[in-house]
Amino acid sequence: MHVIGLAGWSGAGKTTLLAKLIPELTRRSISVSTLKHAHHAFDIDQPGKDSHTHRTAGATEVLISSSRRYALIHELRDEPEADLATLLGRLAPVDLVIVEGFKRSAHPKIEVHRVANGRPFLFPELPAIVALATDGELPADLPMPAVHLDDTAGIANIVISHALPLGDVLRRLAASAA
């Protein structure tokens, strides 16, 4: 398994890019999973459903299964938020995991930058950014590969060349936590 992330300000187009990037990678016979960090409370369960009733009654985990998919809901209760290394360890093996969010973590990331946001680049402050995808002018002295945000094939090439094996990512995360 290899890992790379997408980082950028809210509204930069990370999710939109993923929606184009995943089909491009799967066309290249690369199996892909994603791991998304949410900065707010979220709920994938709906009141009135059995799984919601189980969870709100106090179950730590609720696994919902059908012939088409399964979902595991783990309620943290008073536990701290899981770190990226722990979450990566919960995924089934695939060729590539793309992490959306966790922008301050030590895994390699492509910065997604949209000029209309009016926000500065993240790469000068975040050393784990290894490439840039933007809809704007590219800085002349850019110390990394860069591609236009609409160049999905070019971004896929960067993803493939800059994703690191899971073991390397886990060592980076452990070193940065120490």
Side-chain angles (χ1 to χ4, degrees):
M1 231 166 47
H2 284 69
V3 179
I4 194 156
L6 298 181
W9 298 104
S10 179
K14 298 179 296 292
T15 301
T16 301
L17 174 59
L18 269 173
K20 293 190 272 183
L21 188 57
I22 293 168
E24 175 67 25
L25 292 165
T26 58
R27 268 193 294 280
R28 297 180 189 199
S29 299
I30 297 170
S31 59
V32 179
S33 287
T34 62
L35 196 159
K36 165 83 172 125
H37 184 256
H39 290 284
H40 45 77
F42 69 94
D43 204 342
I44 61 170
D45 227 354
Q46 298 176 5
K49 297 293 185 182
D50 292 347
S51 57
H52 186 269
T53 301
H54 300 176
R55 186 172 55 84
T56 58
T60 299
E61 289 189 332
V62 178
L63 195 140
I64 309 156
S65 179
S66 76
S67 63
R68 295 189 178 193
R69 70 186 57 90
Y70 74 87
L72 175 64
I73 302 167
H74 181 94
E75 192 68 28
L76 292 173
R77 307 278 178 225
D78 293 327
E79 298 172 44
E81 180 179 1
D83 62 16
L84 180 56
T86 300
L87 296 171
L88 286 168
R90 293 187 183 268
L91 293 174
V94 290
D95 298 323
L96 177 68
V97 176
I98 303 174
V99 178
E100 184 181 340
F102 290 97
K103 69 182 172 192
R104 301 215 180 276
S105 291
H107 65 288
K109 289 174 274 309
I110 298 170
E111 178 174 352
V112 179
H113 183 267
R114 189 167 302 280
V115 174
N117 271 357
R119 304 296 296 255
F121 289 114
L122 293 172
F123 72 83
E125 303 300 321
L126 300 178
I129 291 177
V130 296
L132 175 66
T134 183
D135 63 350
E137 294 285 325
L138 299 176
D141 58 348
L142 196 64
M144 65 190 68
V147 66
H148 194 277
L149 197 49
D150 292 332
D151 184 1
T152 306
I155 295 168
N157 292 338
I158 291 172
V159 163
I160 292 165
S161 65
H162 285 78
L164 290 180
L166 177 61
D168 292 352
V169 170
L170 294 176
R171 282 188 283 285
R172 280 184 175 204
L173 294 173
S176 70

